[in-house]
Amino acid sequence: MNAHDTGFVYIRDLGNYLDHKVNVLGVVLEFSLPRKSRGTDYVSTLKLIDESQQSPEFSVNIFTKTIDHLPHVRSYGDLILLKNVTIKTYEGQVSGVFYKDSSSFALFDGTPSTEAVLYQSSPRFLLLDFEKDFISHLSQLFDAVQFSSGSSEYLLKLKNIPEKTCFDLVCKVLHISYDAHKDVWMLFVWDGTDVPPLNLHGKLEDEKQNPLPLQIESVPLDHNILRQFQPIGTVLRIMADKTHENLDKHFRAVGKWVRLLDVTGQISSGIWHGFLKPSARVRFLSDDNNVVLDLHRDYNERIFENNGHLPQWSKSSHFLTVIDLEDITFITLMDIITNAKLNASFCCIVRVVASYPSEADDFRSPYCPSATKMRLTLEDPTARIHAFLRGDEWMKFFDGSPIDVFTTKLNMLLGMPERQYGSNDGEFSRSPPWIQCCIEVKRSADGRRKRYYICSTRIVTQ
């Protein structure tokens, strides 16, 4: 079937039509997130291929009056028919410009079919009967073809996330929500690996007035949403630039594997998160994409190995604590949070990133040891929680140590540098060690939420 016979121009021939308006039909490989342009329009950039050319990909900038009129690609391999697109050159590459007053488009399901299945079109678009056959032909032509997932130059896994550096991430989008307090859209993504642990900065006494947050989002996600997350591997929160509006309506990637381009790693309160730049782009990937298959393989190898629920960064046979139980099976904090069992105990590998109170004299009464109560902030690559030490469990945890020994043990637990032992003055960087910990889950006194208590755990020092 010849494209010229249907009024379409092959991508390989577009260089012959500079400053002309043409019709182009292609498979959408990549698109930028809808955003406000520098003017009054909205803009999105698409990259296309067709049967004539798969590399380089044809880039087209689409300008529309409203965000709803931009194309919102919903799946891997979907097709777009562009009409009256003006052909230009940019940095030596042939590209296209879609003008809101003269161009039109339609998006089609890329699943091979004898009929063209249209799911979105611009206001002036008109689909002609003879065009349907060519659309169906292209969808069947690319059936079972694995499209490129892009170069590997900037591609990283979450376990290698860098700070303040742009990178690309192949991941599964698990959820999207709007944080009204921060006025940002947030993606929740996962690739089966663990982000690296971070040092903590600041004064320990800040925990009283300004405690470390348990999550990046202002309000914790509903448990029904959390239960849909994988319990192993970090679920990274990625904030979208404020130029990206109404992502829940226009971003159709929830539950799908994608490549996110132009992500920046950032740190807040000792927690990794990501940021999508205004230029951020998305590339849908098939479930049998080579990169996706590699991630699945690595994840499956991880969970089937002995103690596969351990953080990837805690492979050590020496911990600061021991658990006084037999036949221990370790799980993650996300496992514990989403587990429906109450009055049950679970074992995990965590770091103590904060404590309150942080001074022995603030909370321990020598006349009433049972009144002792201490809140520890625990984290692993999947979550942070508050867990309490009280009464006899407090005594067991610190082995009934005198005040000076207790202070040393607490400093070790929090990863304080030795020069700061005995002093909380000033700001410093600390690196809490991984510890074994047993956590008992109970319902709070008001019955509305679960509370976590440390039990059967004690610090051991050489």
Side-chain angles (χ1 to χ4, degrees):
M1 184 176 293
N2 194 312
H4 296 285
D5 296 337
T6 58
F8 304 121
V9 177
Y10 279 132
I11 290 176
R12 72 181 177 200
D13 298 328
L14 289 175
N16 300 323
Y17 293 85
L18 294 181
D19 297 321
H20 286 75
K21 292 181 179 181
V22 299
N23 299 341
V24 180
L25 174 67
V27 177
V28 182
L29 292 193
E30 185 178 300
F31 57 92
S32 65
L33 294 175
R35 67 188 188 278
K36 196 74 174 289
S37 71
R38 295 180 180 177
T40 59
D41 296 335
Y42 286 83
V43 61
S44 180
T45 301
L46 276 58
K47 290 189 176 182
L48 318 178
I49 64 169
D50 67 6
E51 59 187 293
S52 73
Q53 180 171 303
Q54 285 79 57
S55 179
E57 298 155 5
F58 173 63
S59 179
V60 56
N61 294 311
I62 298 182
F63 296 91
T64 60
K65 184 177 181 180
T66 70
I67 193 171
D68 290 334
H69 289 167
L70 287 174
H72 305 303
V73 184
R74 70 183 185 186
S75 192
Y76 173 81
D78 285 357
L79 287 73
I80 191 166
L81 172 54
L82 300 163
K83 294 191 175 184
N84 291 325
V85 172
T86 302
I87 304 304
K88 301 283 187 179
T89 57
Y90 179 72
E91 294 183 348
Q93 294 289 333
V94 175
S95 62
V97 180
F98 178 105
Y99 292 107
K100 61 184 179 182
D101 296 327
S102 57
S103 307
S104 62
F105 76 86
L107 281 166
F108 299 87
D109 191 322
T111 304
S113 173
T114 57
E115 296 183 1
V117 181
L118 186 155
Y119 65 81
Q120 185 194 355
S121 63
S122 57
R124 287 183 301 275
F125 182 82
L126 178 63
L127 180 62
L128 304 177
D129 288 338
F130 73 87
E131 295 171 333
K132 297 178 183 179
D133 291 338
F134 196 77
I135 294 167
S136 176
H137 163 74
L138 189 59
S139 68
Q140 294 181 59
L141 182 69
F142 281 108
D143 183 26
V145 174
Q146 185 178 122
F147 301 124
S148 170
S149 58
S151 70
S152 60
E153 182 179 1
Y154 301 104
L155 184 61
L156 295 176
K157 297 178 182 178
L158 287 181
K159 68 178 182 180
N160 304 122
I161 184 173
E163 185 183 8
K164 298 179 181 179
T165 302
C166 279
F167 65 100
D168 296 351
L169 177 69
V170 169
C171 57
K172 190 172 186 179
V173 182
L174 303 179
H175 180 65
I176 182 172
S177 65
Y178 178 69
D179 191 319
H181 181 74
K182 296 183 176 181
D183 189 27
V184 295
W185 285 95
M186 199 174 294
L187 307 181
F188 297 74
V189 305
W190 172 91
D191 73 353
T193 67
D194 293 344
V195 293
L198 292 165
N199 288 350
L200 283 300
H201 305 275
K203 300 179 181 179
L204 292 180
E205 60 264 30
D206 288 348
E207 188 65 14
K208 179 178 181 179
Q209 300 297 332
N210 187 30
L212 282 177
L214 298 184
Q215 66 282 317
I216 290 294
E217 59 271 26
S218 302
V219 179
L221 293 179
D222 185 90
H223 269 62
N224 290 328
I225 295 174
L226 291 176
R227 289 190 184 101
Q228 299 174 28
F229 291 1
Q230 294 283 357
I232 304 174
T234 300
V235 176
L236 186 73
R237 280 68 167 161
I238 300 182
M239 298 181 186
D241 183 87
K242 292 186 178 180
T243 59
H244 304 309
E245 303 177 11
N246 300 328
L247 282 191
D248 63 333
K249 182 178 180 182
H250 304 299
F251 183 64
R252 311 291 180 85
V254 174
K256 299 174 181 177
W257 284 93
V258 300
R259 178 172 181 152
L260 298 177
L261 298 91
D262 279 356
V263 180
T264 302
Q266 298 187 352
I267 297 171
S268 177
S269 301
I271 301 177
W272 283 105
H273 63 95
F275 178 74
L276 286 178
K277 300 179 67 176
S279 58
R281 306 182 306 284
V282 180
R283 188 176 285 243
F284 281 117
L285 303 178
S286 66
D287 290 340
D288 60 356
N289 176 275
N290 289 335
V291 179
V292 174
L293 291 176
D294 286 344
L295 289 171
H296 275 300
R297 185 191 65 250
D298 292 345
Y299 179 73
N300 289 334
E301 289 178 356
R302 176 182 179 183
I303 62 176
F304 286 122
E305 69 181 10
N306 187 34
N307 288 330
H309 286 228
L310 269 63
Q312 290 178 312
W313 302 92
S314 68
K315 303 297 185 181
S316 171
S317 58
H318 303 288
F319 293 97
L320 185 61
T321 58
V322 295
I323 298 174
D324 294 328
L325 297 173
E326 297 181 355
D327 300 324
I328 296 174
T329 298
F330 291 103
I331 63 175
T332 67
L333 289 181
M334 183 61 72
D335 272 316
I336 296 176
I337 291 172
T338 57
N339 197 298
K341 293 182 180 179
L342 295 175
N343 301 319
S345 297
F346 306 94
C347 299
C348 55
I349 302 295
V350 298
R351 302 196 310 159
V352 180
V353 293
S355 67
Y356 178 73
S358 58
E359 295 279 358
D361 294 336
D362 289 341
F363 65 90
R364 186 179 179 189
S365 169
Y367 306 106
C368 187
S370 63
T372 300
K373 187 176 181 181
M374 185 178 195
R375 187 189 74 198
L376 300 181
T377 305
L378 310 180
E379 76 167 19
D380 73 0
T382 68
R384 269 185 188 174
I385 65 170
H386 286 148
F388 294 89
L389 265 172
R390 59 182 183 176
D392 292 342
E393 292 296 348
W394 187 97
M395 296 292 289
K396 179 188 296 183
F397 190 83
F398 289 104
D399 197 24
S401 302
I403 294 298
D404 58 336
V405 178
F406 158 78
T407 300
T408 298
K409 288 184 176 181
L410 182 59
N411 288 339
M412 294 171 62
L413 197 67
L414 294 170
M416 290 178 60
E418 290 190 16
R419 67 178 183 278
Q420 293 293 145
Y421 280 16
S423 172
N424 286 342
D425 296 334
E427 295 190 8
F428 49 86
S429 175
R430 53 192 177 86
S431 178
W434 294 102
I435 67 167
Q436 301 181 70
C437 186
C438 183
I439 298 174
E440 185 177 14
V441 183
K442 294 185 177 182
R443 193 168 296 281
S444 61
D446 59 13
R448 296 180 180 178
R449 62 191 184 280
K450 293 187 292 187
R451 299 197 76 172
Y452 306 102
Y453 297 91
I454 296 173
C455 62
S456 304
T457 307
R458 55 190 173 88
I459 296 176
V460 290
T461 55
Q462 295 180 346

